[in-house]
Amino acid sequence: MRAFKVLLLAVALTATTAVSAADSLKVKFRSRALLDATASGYGKDDVQGYFRLEDFRVGFKANYGKYELKADIGLGGGKVAVKDLQFNYHFKNSVLSVGNGYEPFSMDMLISTADMRFNQSASSVLAFTNSRKLGVTFHYYNDHCYLATGVYTNNDINHLGSDKKNSLVSTSRAVWRKRKGHNLLHVGGAFSFRTKDVNKDAPVGSLGSAGVTSMFGEDLLGAEIDHAGTELKGLVEVLYTSRKMLLQGEYFYDRMNRTGGLEAYRAHGGYVQGSWLLAGEGFEYDAMYGIPGRPVSDKAIELVARFNYANLNDGNSGINGGVEKDLSLGVNFYLNKYIGFKLSGSYVWVGDHCGSFYDKDFFLAQARLQYIF
């Protein structure tokens, strides 16, 4: 309820501004829903299949001159939670953003859920990224580059109570790009540094990933790093689009230092994915934030494929979080700019030290009906 009150307050402030400047204020209310279904050949009765409302959220975006306010409230899973809550000030070719949102690390994590090629990001993306954070980010962009840097608490706005992490994060991203019509080449990278948690005698760090689905109730990958100190992680990213094709890939490396002279923990992984439009032309690209999107055409049919690899096992430190590979194939139907249907199948090769639930390789089919307004 507290998050809901925040949204009501923001709407009230927006309405107050409208009274004095109705001719300059632009407000757009928005919502989206994701209805998922999954069938598994894993051979366990409790995970043969499921369907659920994966995500439902409402929000708005208000613009007044160079000022912008965005707010999204998630209502899925029987919980109310603040998603994006950001105040933006637009300069020429730059944006200063303050509030709760994603840090500029991994373009796949920054893509809107409704625009992703599959139901969720690759397992490696989930392992090496975090949820939204409360902080400040400065974005700069022009035709040939995108640069961003920011400082954040290691918590989102929903976790600022007694369970908060007492550390700070600094993240930067740089992209070079060349674009002509539907053709785009985008190459970049990002770097993030996290301080050691304070007020804790022996902090424990963690990396984990649900894998290709969250339906099993246990993470496929999961590593706990005792005596966690500072953390450094980086990535390289490549994106190419043309009239009919999209190719995208990222590689991640994470080093978590440990106190007391203990060996640092290291993990890595990445993915490559591609799309081919059977119907429709071109792909959206947000130059202001360096993010690819859905097909440009309102009606489109898209064939998609993705290979992912993630390794959270580190023999030097003696900490193991599992290793896995997966291959996914799918087709996405965009009926119009509001409604889409996605269907995919994934085969997962389960390696050493994965979650105890995962005792063999498996196949999973997933479907999603989505609307965004």
Side-chain angles (χ1 to χ4, degrees):
M1 292 305 296
R2 184 178 180 183
F4 186 64
K5 291 179 180 178
V6 172
L7 179 60
L8 289 179
L9 177 60
V11 172
L13 290 173
T14 300
T16 302
T17 306
V19 172
S20 59
D23 58 336
S24 300
L25 181 68
K26 297 180 181 179
V27 180
K28 179 181 179 181
F29 290 92
R30 55 191 185 180
S31 67
R32 79 174 183 213
L34 309 175
L35 180 62
D36 287 0
T38 302
S40 166
Y42 209 54
K44 298 189 178 185
D45 291 338
D46 55 341
V47 292
Q48 289 301 306
Y50 86 120
F51 64 90
R52 70 183 181 196
L53 184 63
E54 182 68 21
D55 185 28
F56 175 67
R57 66 182 65 180
V58 294
F60 72 92
K61 181 170 72 171
N63 293 91
Y64 177 63
K66 296 182 178 181
Y67 298 93
E68 179 183 62
L69 178 64
K70 297 193 297 184
D72 284 308
I73 302 298
L75 305 173
K79 297 180 180 179
V80 178
V82 177
K83 299 297 184 178
D84 292 320
L85 181 59
Q86 293 182 313
F87 174 78
N88 298 329
Y89 184 81
H90 292 259
F91 303 90
K92 182 180 180 181
N93 292 348
S94 60
V95 181
L96 180 64
S97 179
V98 180
N100 195 64
Y102 285 112
E103 58 187 312
F105 192 87
S106 174
M107 67 175 155
D108 201 68
M109 181 56 68
L110 297 171
I111 297 171
S112 170
T113 307
D115 291 342
M116 293 193 306
R117 271 53 246 184
F118 294 90
N119 283 22
Q120 64 184 32
S121 292
S123 179
S124 56
V125 175
L126 299 177
F128 296 106
T129 60
N130 304 105
S131 63
R132 293 170 175 84
K133 291 182 171 66
L134 185 63
V136 56
T137 310
F138 181 76
H139 308 266
Y140 172 81
Y141 61 95
N142 61 32
D143 291 342
H144 301 293
C145 75
Y146 164 81
L147 303 170
T149 188
V151 179
Y152 316 87
T153 69
N154 197 19
N155 311 273
D156 69 15
I157 201 170
N158 302 291
H159 297 89
L160 294 179
S162 58
D163 61 339
K164 68 178 182 295
K165 300 174 184 177
N166 298 304
S167 54
L168 294 175
V169 177
S170 175
T171 302
S172 299
R173 180 179 175 222
V175 170
W176 172 87
R177 60 202 176 197
K178 185 175 182 180
R179 187 175 191 179
K180 184 177 181 181
H182 291 305
N183 296 303
L184 166 73
L185 177 61
H186 157 134
V187 180
F191 174 81
S192 183
F193 172 77
R194 177 187 55 79
T195 66
K196 176 181 176 295
D197 273 359
V198 298
N199 303 325
K200 293 183 180 180
D201 293 334
V204 176
S206 63
L207 294 179
S209 173
V212 295
T213 182
S214 58
M215 71 164 285
F216 290 158
E218 179 181 340
D219 282 352
L220 175 61
L221 303 174
E224 290 193 352
I225 300 90
D226 60 291
H227 296 84
T230 58
E231 180 182 19
L232 300 94
K233 60 182 181 180
L235 66 84
V236 292
E237 61 182 72
V238 177
L239 173 69
Y240 172 76
T241 67
S242 67
R243 189 174 62 88
K244 289 288 188 179
M245 182 174 62
L246 179 147
L247 296 174
Q248 175 184 327
E250 295 180 285
Y251 171 78
F252 304 87
Y253 177 83
D254 194 309
R255 174 190 171 107
M256 194 171 295
N257 296 313
R258 300 163 73 202
T259 60
L262 297 175
E263 183 70 26
Y265 168 77
R266 301 170 179 86
H268 67 107
Y271 72 92
V272 291
Q273 67 182 33
S275 303
W276 180 265
L277 293 179
L278 291 179
E281 291 189 358
F283 296 88
E284 293 180 352
Y285 180 77
D286 187 342
M288 187 181 298
Y289 299 109
I291 307 169
R294 56 159 286 164
V296 171
S297 304
D298 287 346
K299 294 182 179 180
I301 301 175
E302 178 186 34
L303 297 179
V304 293
R306 180 175 71 195
F307 177 77
N308 171 82
Y309 171 79
N311 187 351
L312 271 59
N313 292 335
D314 180 21
N316 292 329
S317 66
I319 298 174
N320 295 307
V323 58
E324 66 90 19
K325 300 186 293 290
D326 59 80
L327 176 65
S328 300
L329 302 173
V331 58
N332 300 329
F333 300 91
Y334 299 91
L335 306 183
N336 52 48
K337 63 181 180 180
Y338 304 110
I339 299 174
F341 179 73
K342 298 179 180 180
L343 180 65
S344 65
S346 301
Y347 192 86
V348 180
W349 291 271
V350 178
D352 295 335
H353 305 294
C354 288
S356 59
F357 178 88
Y358 301 89
D359 53 16
K360 64 178 181 179
D361 303 339
F362 63 93
F363 174 79
L364 189 76
Q366 300 185 82
R368 166 170 289 172
L369 176 63
Q370 65 181 42
Y371 93 82
I372 180 169
F373 176 76

